[in-house]
Every structure is written in structure tokens, then in C-alpha cells.
Amino acid sequence: MSLPKKVKLVEVGPRDGLQNEKQTIPVEVKLALVNRLSEAGFANIEAASFVSPKWVPQMATSTELMASIDRRPGTVYSALVPNMKGFEAALAARADEVVIFGAASEAFSQKNINCSIAESIERFREVAAAAKANRLRLRGSISCALGCPYQGEVSPEAVVDVVRRMRDLGCDEIDIADTIGVGTPAKVQRVFERVANEFPLNQCAGHFHDTYGQAIANIYAALCTGVAIFHASVAGLGGCPYAKGATGNVATEDVLYLLDGLGITTGVDINAVVDAGQFISKHLGRPSASRAGNAIAARRLSERTS
Ligand code: HMG
Ligand code: MG
């Protein structure tokens, strides 16, 4: 078993992390967060989501946010787009990458984007063509790849079926998402082994929520199968408004600590991410959900005061 030497981290905190917050977060706070994350050196930051503001009110400031961020050369700024209306907004906002998001579960597809899987692929077809015509990167995200809050079990075949359809739309990268954090390492390996028959593993990402505390183990399992792109959320923020009870993504600080211990490089400065995590947690008025982030912040404090 040889692990990748380098991993691409996609920081999803500003989008997946904040979309589920009940209190309205001022755009200035989001901006400060994205700018801090940019300075930390991420290759990719999922900053925005051009969805219906009636469905996800917290993302309604995406245009303003994208207009104001200090873009770091070398960072790809992504935005979710469910349809052409979202695509047009993302294009106008100068997103570098658009993310079409579907599901491996029919029930979740209906709840999240109000259409069947087949209908979603038809909607995405036009978005995919427009992304190519405008030379934007196209990413596909597959929710409920390891279980569904409405349907329960989801088979690897159902995941592979959506992978094939997203591949055929021309996706440059495909995310295998554990929306409700129910996956375990053996299941993660099984699904990636099956996906690898249809799409290059080096263009697949693991997107793990941490509801059952398995996300770090799942990342390790995915690394062992050859996956080298992972999503994470600063301070472990997040959750999907259409997946009740699911907690945030795996915390970025925890992933960085894991990868550093394995000698895997990311180009991301963990100290800057810890600062960003403490900043946003302070704003939200609750402690960070990152164990490594809190430990590093506490260690620094004790070093300063001793
Ligand atoms: P719909 O109601 O079927 O759409 O929603 P519609 O086309 O009938 O339009 C209804 C209204 O929404 C209209 O406005 C449209 O203009 C407007 P009205 O005439 O009523 O004033 N509208 C839009 N407004 C802004 N931007 C748009 C847009 N499209 C329509 N792009 C729709 C269908 C897809 C729009 C809706 O279901 C929706 O916005 N869903 C988004 C749900 C969402 O954002 N979920 C969270 C993100 S996914 C996630 O977190 C999972 C992920 O992290 C991976 C994982 O963990 O699994 C990615
Ligand atoms: Mg998610």
C-alpha cells in the first residue's frame, strides 16, 4: 500500500460550512473568512452557492462575496450551481469552477433539488455544455453515496451509475459525498474501488461529514485506495439543510494534522487555518469542532503565557 505524496484539499467551509447556519452571517464575516483561507494556501475554496435563496437563505450573498474576495493566484474559487440560472450567476461572479450537485438516492434528490436523478442530469447537461463553452472547470458532486437520511442504504451500483452520467457530461472531477456521515472505512473502500472502474481515481474526491466520528478513518481508507483529493471544512462547520441531524464536514485542521503525520503535503499552512477556525467560531459564538484546531490553539496560548 503506497499513499499519495501530495493531496489537494478543497476547503468547503464558506459554502457547506456556513449554508446551514440559522443566524444570518454578514457578508463581511464571510469575506474575512475566505480571505484568511486564501492566505492559508488552499488549492481550492468552495466559496459560494448560486441556489434559490428561498431554499438556502444563507447563500443569498454569494454574488457580493465573490465580487469582494482577494483572489490568491493559484487558488480555484468554486460555486455550486443547480441549473442555468445558477450557472449564469456563477459566470458573472467569475467563479473558476462550477459544481453540479446530484445524488445517488432518489429520495434525497427530490428533497434537495426538487427533481429526480434523471431530471437532474438533464438539467446539468445544459450547465455542463455552458461550462465547457466558457472554459470553466466542471465538478460533479454525488450526495448520499454512503447512505441516505430518507432511503437508508445506498448501493455502490447507484453511486457508479451517477458517476458514469457525470463523467459523460464531461466532469473534470467527481466528489463522492457522505452527506450524513454514516460511512465506515470498509464501505468507503468498496465504493471507491467500484468508482475507479468508471472514472480515474485521481480525479475523484472524498467529501465526508463527521456525524458518526468516522471521517478521519474514512479519509485514511480512501487514501489507501489512491484517492488524493479531499474536502474539509474549517472548524468542522457545516451540514446540509436537507439532511436533518447530519453534522459538519470533517474539520480541515484535523485533516491537515493527519496528512502532516503521514508526510503528505498540501501546501496549506495549518496555523493559518487554526486562526481562521478560531475566528469563525468566535463569530458564531461556539467552540470550534476541530479537535486538532483547539489543541493547537490551546498549546499556543500556554506557550505564550508560560
Ligand atoms: P424549484 O423550486 O424546483 O425551482 O427549486 P424553480 O425552477 O421552479 O424555481 C423556483 C424559484 O427559485 C423561482 O423564483 C426561481 O427564479 C428561483 P420565484 O419565481 O419563486 O421567485 N430559482 C433560483 N434563484 C436563484 N438561483 C438559482 C435559482 N433557481 C431557481 N439557481 C432548485 C429547484 C434547484 C432551485 C432548488 O431546489 C434549490 O435551490 N435547491 C438547493 C438546495 C441546496 O442548496 N442544498 C444544499 C447544497 S447540496 C449539499 O450541501 C451537499 C454537498 O455538500 C455534498 C454532500 O455533502 O452530500 C454538495
Ligand atoms: Mg456536504
Side-chain angles (χ1 to χ4, degrees), residues 12 15-17 19 46 49-56 59 80-89 99-103 108-115 123-124 139 141-145 175-181 207-209 231 239-243 247 249:
V12 298
R15 196 283 304 169
D16 203 344
Q19 72 178 5
E46 201 168 276
S49 181
F50 294 98
V51 297
S52 163
K54 287 182 192 150
W55 284 63
V56 187
M59 292 289 106
L80 262 58
V81 298
N83 51 23
M84 279 307 288
K85 185 166 178 150
F87 176 81
E88 295 299 347
V99 185
I100 48 179
F101 54 105
F108 188 80
S109 181
Q110 288 290 352
K111 296 273 188 198
N112 195 42
I113 51 174
N114 206 25
C115 64
R123 263 184 214 170
F124 298 153
R139 172 147 63 85
S141 173
I142 305 178
S143 285
C144 297
D175 313 331
I176 303 301
D178 186 6
T179 314
I180 54 171
H207 175 114
F208 300 116
H209 285 258
H231 297 190
C240 175
Y242 297 97
T247 65
N249 294 90

Side-chain angles (χ1 to χ4, degrees), residues 127-148:
V127 175
K132 298 284 159 194
N134 287 281
R135 297 188 199 309
L136 294 190
R137 263 193 125 244
L138 178 68
R139 172 147 63 85
S141 173
I142 305 178
S143 285
C144 297
L146 292 143
C148 168

Side-chain angles (χ1 to χ4, degrees), residues 42 97 124 161 217 235 266:
F42 286 95
E97 176 182 73
F124 298 153
D161 182 52
T266 58

